[in-house]
Amino acid sequence: RDDEDRGSFFPFVQASFAVVLAVVVISSLLFYFFLQSYTRANDLKQSYADLSFMNSFLKKFIYASSHDLKQPLVNIDNFQNLLRNKYGDSIDAAGQKYFDIIGSSIGHMHLILEDLLLYSKIIRRGKKKEVIDLKLALQEIVASYLSTDVQIQCTVEAIIVGNRSEIRRLFDNLISNAIKFNEREVAMVNITAEDKGALLQIRVSDNGIGIEEVHLPIVFQEFQQVNKYKYEGTGLGLSICKEIVRNHGGTIWAERNKQGGTDFIFQIRKGD
């Protein structure tokens, strides 16, 4: 009888030991994964804090550098003008050319600083928003481009909630780009809108020189100029557009159109 009890007892002990061993192994694995997740969460939290600090620092640096460099640049411009006016008659053609290069470089630096200052303001989130009638807003914008060399058609009728100055800057940048990068006798710009539910999709189409397919993914990156030796600019115009659209809960991209020009398409939240 004792032998039978021992015979039935040992399998029970073996089964219990296996269960306990499995529980220990599973508990150890769970504890290990918990530690890994906890460590990873702390690392992500620290990384997020570091990124937030660097982002805040960079915004302040861009603003400070663009703002504080303006006065020294103005001083340089003033003194080069004084030198030109005082000694201009005694300077030969080569010297005059050097002064022209200096003046052109100063002008270009002014544009860069102005765009950097604007960019630093645009990337600051949480600005005041209001209800905007896009039809009326675009009528005012289009009226500022009245010219025999430019034809702008606009069929947008929609209400959005946004920052009025940013929305104006967005359309100003896209329209002025369509005119600037255009070699036709008449620059044509067509602005249309399409309802996408919670979003409004706007297309700004031109008949300009267009953008090669290979360059389309990079045109919204900061300081990217596809034709920088032919057309004056800072490479921040489309980056500013991207940040404005992002501030309004949307995205922007570019496509080539059948006219050989470019369509800039962006989506922003409507004023529901």
Side-chain angles (χ1 to χ4, degrees):
R1 181 68 180 177
D2 290 340
D3 291 339
E4 290 180 1
D5 290 341
R6 281 195 296 270
S8 61
F9 178 73
F10 284 117
F12 172 77
V13 171
Q14 289 174 340
S16 299
F17 179 76
V19 171
V20 171
L21 181 62
V23 170
V24 170
V25 170
I26 292 172
S27 299
S28 299
L29 288 173
L30 290 174
F31 184 69
Y32 171 76
F33 288 128
F34 170 77
L35 286 178
Q36 288 286 93
S37 300
Y38 180 78
T39 303
R40 190 178 296 110
N42 282 339
D43 290 342
L44 287 173
K45 185 177 180 180
Q46 184 60 44
S47 297
Y48 178 78
D50 292 342
L51 286 173
S52 297
F53 171 78
M54 287 303 298
N55 188 40
S56 175
F57 175 79
L58 286 173
K59 289 179 182 178
K60 293 176 182 176
F61 175 77
I62 291 173
Y63 177 81
S65 60
S66 57
H67 185 271
D68 295 342
L69 283 173
K70 289 177 70 176
Q71 189 56 50
L73 193 62
V74 169
N75 292 338
I76 294 171
D77 193 21
N78 289 338
F79 275 103
Q80 73 95 13
N81 284 325
L82 287 173
L83 287 171
R84 184 193 289 250
N85 293 334
K86 186 171 183 179
Y87 302 106
D89 295 337
S90 59
I91 298 174
D92 60 13
Q96 293 290 349
K97 184 178 180 180
Y98 297 152
F99 270 112
D100 291 340
I101 293 173
I102 292 171
S104 176
S105 298
I106 290 173
H108 186 64
M109 182 60 72
H110 269 299
L111 289 177
I112 292 175
L113 292 180
E114 288 294 334
D115 276 0
L116 270 176
L117 191 59
L118 175 62
Y119 184 73
S120 70
K121 293 177 180 178
I122 292 296
I123 60 179
R124 295 176 186 177
R125 315 298 182 201
K127 288 180 282 295
K128 181 182 177 181
K129 294 183 179 180
E130 58 186 299
V131 176
I132 302 171
D133 186 331
L134 275 184
K135 180 180 179 179
L136 297 178
L138 282 167
Q139 283 177 350
E140 294 177 3
I141 295 170
V142 171
S144 66
Y145 287 92
L146 290 178
S147 168
T148 56
D149 299 331
V150 180
Q151 291 184 10
I152 303 176
Q153 294 182 342
C154 181
T155 59
V156 176
E157 294 188 15
I159 304 295
I160 65 167
V161 173
N163 182 276
R164 187 175 296 275
S165 63
E166 287 191 359
I167 291 297
R168 182 179 181 94
R169 171 64 63 175
L170 171 62
F171 282 103
D172 269 336
N173 281 9
L174 294 177
I175 294 172
S176 60
N177 259 17
I179 297 170
K180 175 182 176 181
F181 298 102
N182 201 308
E183 297 177 349
R184 300 177 187 264
E185 290 185 5
V186 178
M188 301 186 68
V189 184
N190 189 29
I191 306 173
T192 57
E194 184 179 351
D195 193 311
K196 293 287 185 179
L199 297 173
L200 181 70
Q201 180 168 297
I202 297 176
R203 183 181 297 264
V204 180
S205 180
D206 65 57
N207 65 339
I209 62 173
I211 302 171
E212 297 296 331
E213 292 285 347
V214 67
H215 294 139
L216 288 175
I218 67 170
V219 293
F220 295 99
Q221 295 178 13
E222 292 79 359
F223 302 107
Q224 292 294 328
Q225 292 176 267
V226 177
N227 297 289
K228 62 181 178 180
Y229 297 111
K230 188 174 181 180
Y231 299 95
E232 185 179 357
T234 63
L236 279 172
L238 290 178
S239 301
I240 289 171
C241 291
K242 178 188 68 176
E243 294 301 326
I244 291 174
V245 172
R246 182 180 293 177
N247 287 350
H248 291 77
T251 56
I252 185 170
W253 66 95
E255 299 174 356
R256 287 182 62 85
N257 60 38
K258 294 179 180 179
Q259 297 173 288
T262 307
D263 285 3
F264 288 97
I265 307 106
F266 60 90
Q267 295 179 336
I268 53 178
R269 293 193 178 278
K270 295 190 299 185
D272 296 332

